Amino acid sequence: MKVNVNAVNFTVDRKLVDFIQVRFDKLDKFYDKIVSSDVFLKVDNTSEKENKMAEVKILVPGDDLVVKKQCKSFEEAIELSAESLERLLVKHKEKIRSYS
């Protein structure tokens, strides 16, 4: 699956991009018709510790799935986003299966 990583107002290092790619490649097990995904990484300028935000948009035929998570680190936000997307993909697959 093609994963586009966009960092807002900072540069992302290669290790984080590789982590995102490996984690999202595992989503193919849950739904194999994923077209692509866009990942937006942002840092909020607040005094809170949980200021790292990950917004993930997955394109599947007929629908877009969007998840936003805010955590202490980008890795944690990506992991939580991927877990949420796993549940959404399973629901989407069951919904598609019930129509056909």
Side-chain angles (χ1 to χ4, degrees):
M1 165 185 17
K2 176 119 175 74
V3 178
N4 300 318
V5 178
N6 302 304
V8 179
N9 296 332
F10 72 98
T11 56
V12 64
D13 67 336
R14 189 78 206 145
K15 198 164 68 169
L16 182 59
V17 172
D18 292 340
F19 172 79
I20 293 169
Q21 182 69 49
V22 167
R23 185 61 183 98
F24 282 1
D25 283 343
K26 295 177 184 176
L27 292 177
D28 285 335
K29 288 190 278 185
F30 297 94
Y31 191 67
D32 59 349
K33 294 185 172 98
I34 299 173
V35 178
S36 68
S37 61
D38 295 317
V39 179
F40 296 94
L41 302 173
K42 302 173 192 168
V43 178
D44 286 344
N45 291 332
T46 62
S47 60
E48 295 179 27
K49 290 181 180 176
E50 294 188 354
N51 65 344
K52 313 283 191 301
M53 183 182 252
E55 181 177 337
V56 182
K57 180 178 177 183
I58 294 220
L59 303 172
V60 293
D63 210 357
D64 293 350
L65 305 174
V66 179
V67 173
K68 294 180 186 179
K69 297 291 179 187
Q70 188 166 356
C71 297
K72 293 178 184 173
S73 70
F74 286 121
E75 288 84 359
E76 185 182 3
I78 291 299
E79 190 64 38
L80 290 174
S81 297
E83 290 172 5
S84 295
L85 284 167
E86 288 171 4
R87 290 189 295 274
L88 284 173
L89 287 169
V90 168
K91 281 184 185 179
H92 181 74
K93 188 176 182 179
E94 289 172 357
K95 191 169 82 172
I96 296 290
R97 195 174 286 157
S98 68
Y99 287 133
S100 41

